[in-house]
């Protein structure tokens, strides 16, 4: 199956959304905003008790088998939310300290209390190895006269040692639900959260995170306003696309066919898509044509259209498209 949202044998999925689900219509869709606790419960993220287990190897000799302890390494494991059984998730070193999903939610509750944000999605990927919660901020941006951009905070954590607990600031263009990633000079769009003991420390970190969020939103807004005021031609966009997806004369014919199809899709978005109508011919339109392609059009694996749409959504929320979108921003901004 193309998507990586965790699914259970009882037909449920570890995903919840406060809006219509773009993820293969899996999981629970609520009628309104959620609390962190509701998101945790509905997405089956509660009570995992992520822990470290001693790691052993089996040595086979002429005399039989012997269990050998693997020094300085442990298996991460959880209590499966449906079966109650122990499930291993990954292998980590001795300096790894699990961050429970409840801690993840507690930190975001502090952000919500400080900012007035509300929870919109939550879930787990890759059989529990990665979890996420997202919040929509009450503030929004207006680029140019009427191009709306909402601001989200997404929090990601892994239970297999693959990544730290991190906060990511994500602008989303309202008219087409483009999730945008942009490296803006002078402002950070993501940061790792330390889990220091004590309520005062956690509150201080939450306020620091909010400060960084607002700083990023301010700088992103300035950059976008410059972009919407600057023209960009189709030939200039073609130069950007060729740099994002370079193709050599010696490349396989299929690669060249993909290049032509990609350019056809992106140029059509730039010149004809309704989503570009109010910003046509600008650098902001060029960047949004590229992000719309990455979000909604770029080929994805799957047997059905629903599977492919789910794969695209996961690619965006998991960060697989981040490098492409950040490079696209760098090449189109002024």
């Amino acid at each position: 199956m193309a998507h990586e949202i965790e699914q259970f044998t009882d037909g449920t999925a570890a995903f919840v959304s406060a809006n219509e689900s773009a993820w293969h219509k899996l999981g629970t869709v609520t009628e309104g905003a959620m609390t962190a606790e509701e998101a945790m419960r509905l997405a089956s993220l509660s009570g995992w008790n992520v822990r470290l287990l001693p790691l052993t190897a089996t040595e086979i000799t002429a005399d039989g088998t012997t269990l050998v302890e693997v020094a300085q390494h442990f298996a991460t494991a959880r209590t499966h939310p449906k079966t109650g059984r122990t499930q291993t998730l990954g292998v980590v070193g001795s300096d790894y300290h699990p961050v429970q999903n409840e801690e993840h939610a507690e930190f975001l509750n502090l952000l919500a209390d400080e900012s007035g944000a509300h929870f919109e999605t939550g879930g787990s990927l890759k059989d529990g190895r990665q979890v996420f919660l997202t919040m929509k901020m009450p503030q929004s941006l207006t680029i140019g006269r009427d191009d709306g951009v909402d601001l989200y905070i997404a929090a990601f954590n892994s239970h297999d040692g693959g990544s730290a607990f991190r906060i990511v600031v994500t602008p989303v263009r309202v008219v087409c639900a483009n999730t945008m990633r942009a490296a803006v000079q002078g402002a950070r769009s993501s940061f790792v959260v330390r889990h220091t003991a004590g309520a005062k420390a956690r509150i201080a970190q939450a306020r620091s995170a909010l400060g960084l969020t607002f700083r990023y939103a301010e700088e992103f807004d300035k950059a976008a306003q410059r972009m919407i005021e600057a023209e960009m031609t189709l030939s200039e966009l073609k130069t950007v696309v060729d740099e994002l997806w370079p193709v050599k004369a010696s490349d396989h014919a299929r690669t060249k066919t993909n290049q032509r199809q990609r350019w056809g899709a992106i140029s059509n978005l730039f010149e004809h898509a309704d989503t570009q109508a109010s910003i046509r011919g600008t650098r902001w339109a060029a960047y949004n044509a590229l992000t719309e392609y990455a979000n909604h059009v770029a080929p994805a694996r799957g047997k059905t259209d629903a599977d492919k749409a789910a794969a695209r959504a996961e690619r965006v929320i998991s960060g697989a498209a981040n490098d492409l979108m950040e490079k696209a921003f760098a090449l189109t901004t002024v």
Side-chain angles (χ1 to χ4, degrees), residues 1-5 300-304 306-311 314:
M1 188 169 291
H3 52 73
E4 296 182 329
I5 299 170
R301 294 182 180 180
K303 294 182 179 179
T304 67
D307 281 343
K308 293 174 183 177
E314 289 165 3

Side-chain angles (χ1 to χ4, degrees), residues 177-200:
N178 279 3
T179 298
M180 297 181 285
R181 298 288 296 128
V184 180
Q185 186 175 5
R188 292 163 56 194
S189 62
S190 65
F191 35 92
V192 173
V193 176
R194 302 183 311 279
H195 279 270
T196 308
K200 289 184 178 179

Side-chain angles (χ1 to χ4, degrees), residues 3 72 78 93 108 166 232 235 274 302:
H3 52 73
Q72 304 298 313
R78 70 168 179 177
L108 291 182
R166 69 193 193 280
M232 192 167 199
S235 61
D274 291 342

Side-chain angles (χ1 to χ4, degrees), residues 21 23 25 35 37 50 55 63 77 88 96 98 109 119 133 144 194 201-202 209 217-218 226 236 251 274 279 283 325:
S21 172
W23 291 44
K25 300 190 183 299
T35 64
E37 290 76 16
V50 180
L55 198 62
D63 298 326
T88 57
Y96 180 86
N109 262 336
F119 291 85
L133 288 168
R194 302 183 311 279
R202 290 193 295 272
E218 179 183 346
R226 293 193 299 269
E236 287 173 327
D251 282 341
D274 291 342
I279 60 174
R283 286 183 169 269
M325 289 191 283

Side-chain angles (χ1 to χ4, degrees), residues 149-162:
V149 173
D150 286 332
L151 195 65
Y152 286 77
I153 292 179
F156 298 92
N157 191 29
S158 73
H159 294 306
D160 62 356

Side-chain angles (χ1 to χ4, degrees), residues 32-295:
M34 299 175 287
T35 64
E37 290 76 16
E38 288 171 335
M40 292 273 293
R41 175 175 56 82
L42 293 171
S44 299
L45 297 177
S46 301
W48 285 18
N49 185 26
V50 180
R51 53 202 182 272
L52 301 182
L53 301 178
L55 198 62
T56 59
T58 302
E59 181 182 22
I60 302 176
T61 66
D63 298 326
T65 60
T66 303
L67 289 180
V68 180
E69 182 178 345
V70 180
Q72 304 298 313
H73 287 81
F74 299 85
T76 57
R78 70 168 179 177
T79 299
H80 193 280
K82 296 292 184 176
T83 67
R85 296 173 182 169
T86 298
Q87 176 193 3
T88 57
L89 301 172
V91 176
V92 297
S94 58
D95 58 346
Y96 180 86
H97 299 283
V99 175
Q100 303 300 330
N101 294 342
E102 285 78 5
E103 294 179 87
H104 188 150
E106 178 188 11
F107 184 84
L108 291 182
N109 262 336
L110 290 171
L111 286 181
D113 291 343
E114 294 280 335
S115 67
H118 66 262
F119 291 85
E120 284 222 341
T121 65
S124 69
L125 304 172
K126 300 181 180 179
D127 291 327
R129 291 171 178 83
Q130 297 178 5
V131 297
F132 65 91
L133 288 168
T134 68
M135 300 190 305
K136 183 179 179 181
M137 301 290 285
Q139 300 84 358
S140 61
L141 309 176
T142 301
I143 311 304
R145 289 178 298 176
D146 57 6
D147 200 37
V149 173
D150 286 332
L151 195 65
Y152 286 77
I153 292 179
F156 298 92
N157 191 29
S158 73
H159 294 306
D160 62 356
S163 62
F165 176 29
R166 69 193 193 280
I167 302 290
V168 178
V169 187
T170 305
V172 177
R173 188 169 179 242
V174 175
V175 70
C176 54
N178 279 3
T179 298
M180 297 181 285
R181 298 288 296 128
V184 180
Q185 186 175 5
R188 292 163 56 194
S189 62
S190 65
F191 35 92
V192 173
V193 176
R194 302 183 311 279
H195 279 270
T196 308
K200 289 184 178 179
R202 290 193 295 272
I203 291 171
Q205 288 182 65
R207 288 176 175 166
S208 175
L210 278 180
L212 291 167
T213 297
F214 295 140
R215 174 66 176 166
Y216 177 81
E218 179 183 346
E219 295 303 320
F220 179 87
D221 183 49
K222 290 178 182 177
Q225 300 294 354
R226 293 193 299 269
M227 292 167 74
I228 204 169
E229 294 172 0
E231 294 182 356
M232 192 167 199
T233 66
L234 190 64
S235 61
E236 287 173 327
L237 177 58
K238 181 64 164 60
T239 300
V240 171
V241 171
D242 288 344
E243 186 165 345
L244 288 171
W245 292 278
V247 176
K248 302 187 294 291
S250 58
D251 282 341
H252 193 274
R254 181 59 184 168
T255 301
K256 296 177 182 178
T257 298
N258 291 341
Q259 178 193 37
R260 289 192 296 272
Q261 292 175 343
R262 182 188 305 114
W263 171 240
I266 294 172
S267 60
N268 181 67
L269 288 169
F270 182 66
E271 290 192 301
H272 305 297
D274 291 342
T275 51
Q276 311 294 331
S278 65
I279 60 174
R280 189 89 65 206
T282 66
R283 286 183 169 269
W284 178 244
Y287 173 62
N288 277 282
L290 293 165
T291 58
E292 189 167 349
Y293 175 80
N295 277 247

